Amino acid sequence: MDQNMDLQQILKTIEENNIEYVRMEISDLYGIARCKTIPARQFAGKASMGQTYLRAAVMALDPACAFVQGTGYYSECGYCDSMCFPDLDTFTILPWVPNTARVMLNATYAGKTENGYPREVAKAQCARLKEMGYTLKAATEHEFHLTKLDTGEYAFGTYQYQSTVRSSFNLPFTQQVERDLYKVGIDIESIETEYNPGQMEMSYKPAFGIRSADNAHTYKTAVKEIARQYNYNANFMSKPDPGEHVGSGAHLNHSLWDADGKVSLFYDANGAYHLSDVAQHWIAGILEHAPALTLLSAPTINCLGRYQLGSWSPVNATWGLDNRSCVIRAKVSDQNGTYLENRLPAAACNSYISLAGMIVAGIDGIQRKLPLPEPIKGSAYDSKYLEPSSGIARLPTNMKDALKAFVEDKVVTDALGLDFVRAFVACKVHEMECEATAKATGDSGWEKKYYSYF
């Protein structure tokens, strides 16, 4: 993805590379990529006149493709369309799809920005940071499970974390993912097998602002599509198998820089723990709002089952220095190398939404100059950090509690906006109804069927 591309440059790229089709793509509320594919000869017209898009397809579809009432985007608006325009800076050729390019969409309705759409929500929070003189540099660290399409078996068995032998299960697949993502501007840094059977992780270099979430969106879609070319299904559910103790996460590694992206702002050689005041307030803000952020970061019933003792996932609003049991794992090194790992997000999160929520919390911490609590030494799973007398908030582990924590946090909900919150909450209530129906009918496998498209 080239920055500051204009229409004429794109039309020239289309001609020179024999591009026949362009995907007009958008992220729905659950982070699922949805698109209309147009012949490339139509692109210039669509760039100026726009592309219609069913609002409900973005904001009122559940993972099983059932429409949800009460979102404000379905029957409530007469099943109407958005008018979407390509974000030209996101135009990129897709090497894993023949003669095809893709562009992300900016959505409008009645001439105004669709403020509730996930990518627009994230853009708005990035703009708030910019107004304060900051920009966010971030990368999402996705884990996923691979199963064979024809049999449903895991691509590789046994529990062997970072096994060299196991990592060569299908080198053409992993190498194509790495090469193709590099061609679209996502620079893979490492490839590894994770703890569970069939579980993998590929981490990549960070990017500034909204592009960091665009990269996460592109990464997930690419992995899913390339996997199918090798007879695999790539599943980003937290726990495809309910018996798994360690689920798939999407840790959000990030740091704040000046507005021009030239100076890193998290490190201070003379600060407490070598963290700047800005970094300390930022962490404190995330911890303050961690219960509410849980739903934005782990937005499904399946995701919330990831927060368990001893699971390498957080269970309480804590931080520590290189501590994987906490919400925030601070990686402190030097001026440009210091960053924070937000361990709240689950693999099935919408990266635009988890990014937006984290920025809201961090900004609140900076604006209120919230004090940083003491870091956790040892394990945050220790009973002394779990008792109510510790004063440390526990993270919700079910949809009812997570929804309550979210709607009661007015700082977060006010910043994200009524349009988004109404649709998001309606979909969560719908999920709880689906769960209740499954339990009443004895459908023990409903989660895997319901969330399988992740």
Side-chain angles (χ1 to χ4, degrees):
M1 290 181 281
D2 294 327
Q3 298 298 300
N4 302 315
M5 290 189 73
D6 62 30
L7 181 57
Q8 293 307 312
Q9 286 177 304
I10 290 174
L11 295 178
K12 183 179 180 182
T13 298
I14 287 173
E15 181 179 0
E16 291 178 347
N17 292 274
N18 298 314
I19 298 301
E20 297 181 71
Y21 302 99
V22 180
R23 290 179 175 177
M24 308 283 275
E25 193 162 285
I26 201 162
S27 168
D28 79 358
L29 195 60
Y30 283 88
I32 295 171
R34 301 196 182 276
C35 78
K36 288 188 176 184
T37 300
I38 64 171
R41 64 182 177 274
Q42 308 292 349
F43 185 76
K46 297 294 185 181
S48 59
M49 301 299 293
Q51 170 68 63
T52 58
Y53 216 104
L54 178 65
R55 298 177 89 203
V58 181
M59 297 296 289
L61 274 181
D62 76 357
C65 212
F67 286 103
V68 180
Q69 293 284 1
T71 62
Y73 292 91
Y74 187 42
S75 61
E76 304 92 340
C77 67
Y79 316 101
C80 61
D81 286 337
S82 294
M83 183 61 72
C84 299
F85 298 88
D87 182 338
L88 299 182
D89 287 344
T90 68
F91 181 90
T92 189
I93 296 171
L94 302 179
W96 59 91
V97 187
N99 306 105
T100 300
R102 186 221 63 189
V103 69
M104 300 299 295
L105 298 176
N106 295 324
T108 67
Y109 178 67
K112 297 181 180 179
T113 297
E114 284 274 25
N115 291 321
Y117 280 28
R119 190 168 185 267
E120 302 300 339
V121 171
K123 284 165 60 180
Q125 298 311 314
C126 289
R128 286 182 67 201
L129 270 181
K130 202 83 167 181
E131 290 172 0
M132 296 172 65
Y134 305 127
T135 186
L136 188 75
K137 188 177 185 180
T140 303
E141 187 181 317
H142 302 272
E143 296 164 333
F144 59 92
H145 288 78
L146 279 176
T147 55
K148 298 177 182 178
L149 282 173
D150 50 357
T151 66
E153 298 174 345
Y154 285 119
F156 45 86
T158 73
Y159 293 83
Q160 279 292 342
Y161 178 59
Q162 294 181 339
S163 164
T164 297
V165 172
R166 196 169 76 164
S167 68
S168 61
F169 73 100
N170 191 324
L171 291 177
F173 163 68
T174 56
Q175 290 173 357
Q176 183 182 340
V177 171
E178 185 278 322
R179 291 168 181 149
D180 284 358
L181 285 174
Y182 186 71
K183 292 174 183 176
V184 299
I186 300 174
D187 193 357
I188 297 292
E189 290 191 298
S190 67
I191 302 170
E192 63 189 68
T193 58
E194 277 290 342
Y195 182 77
N196 293 321
Q199 191 180 32
M200 293 197 69
E201 174 187 301
M202 300 183 189
S203 59
Y204 50 86
K205 285 185 174 296
F208 285 105
I210 194 63
R211 183 171 176 181
S212 65
D214 286 339
N215 283 352
H217 172 91
T218 302
Y219 170 91
K220 287 178 70 173
T221 305
V223 168
K224 290 177 186 178
E225 288 198 294
I226 297 171
R228 297 184 77 83
Q229 296 173 13
Y230 290 85
N231 193 40
Y232 295 129
N233 178 57
N235 193 322
F236 286 82
M237 283 176 67
S238 285
K239 292 190 173 186
D241 180 353
E244 292 176 356
H245 188 57
V246 180
S248 289
H251 305 148
L252 185 48
N253 300 297
H254 66 282
S255 54
L256 278 186
W257 293 60
D258 70 334
D260 296 324
K262 303 296 184 183
V263 181
S264 178
L265 303 175
F266 270 178
Y267 180 79
D268 184 346
N270 299 314
Y273 317 108
H274 290 173
L275 292 170
S276 68
D277 289 345
V278 166
Q280 293 180 47
H281 298 323
W282 179 271
I283 296 170
I286 293 173
L287 300 185
E288 172 96 351
H289 298 286
L293 297 185
T294 298
L295 189 59
L296 299 172
S297 302
T300 73
I301 289 166
N302 182 269
C303 288
L304 290 163
R306 177 173 152 264
Y307 301 127
Q308 296 181 28
L309 295 175
S311 65
W312 291 13
S313 297
V315 297
N316 47 17
T318 54
W319 81 282
L321 297 165
D322 200 9
N323 192 327
R324 284 184 170 89
S325 66
C326 300
V327 167
I328 295 295
R329 175 189 177 208
K331 298 284 286 182
V332 181
S333 57
D334 55 26
Q335 182 67 43
N336 291 328
T338 295
Y339 68 94
L340 305 176
E341 180 182 73
N342 175 3
R343 296 178 64 80
L344 275 177
C349 76
N350 182 320
S351 292
Y352 294 108
I353 294 173
S354 60
L355 182 79
M358 184 183 73
I359 292 174
V360 170
I363 286 177
D364 188 52
I366 292 172
Q367 291 180 332
R368 293 166 56 199
K369 297 185 177 180
L370 293 177
L372 182 66
E374 291 293 317
I376 297 298
K377 296 180 180 179
S379 174
Y381 307 136
D382 191 296
S383 60
K384 64 184 177 183
Y385 301 123
L386 304 175
E387 297 168 357
S389 59
S390 70
I392 299 173
R394 290 292 297 269
L395 302 182
T397 58
N398 61 72
M399 185 61 76
K400 181 180 178 181
D401 292 344
L403 187 56
K404 182 175 185 291
F406 174 69
V407 298
E408 290 181 352
D409 192 320
K410 296 306 178 185
V411 170
V412 172
T413 56
D414 287 353
L416 298 180
L418 175 62
D419 290 342
F420 168 79
V421 170
R422 177 177 54 198
F424 188 68
V425 169
C427 287
K428 301 308 114 181
V429 171
H430 170 77
E431 280 187 56
M432 288 192 290
E433 293 170 351
C434 291
E435 181 186 39
T437 299
K439 288 181 177 179
T441 58
D443 186 358
S444 60
W446 81 274
E447 286 188 30
K448 195 163 189 175
K449 290 180 286 186
Y450 187 77
Y451 300 117
S452 62
Y453 201 75
F454 283 112

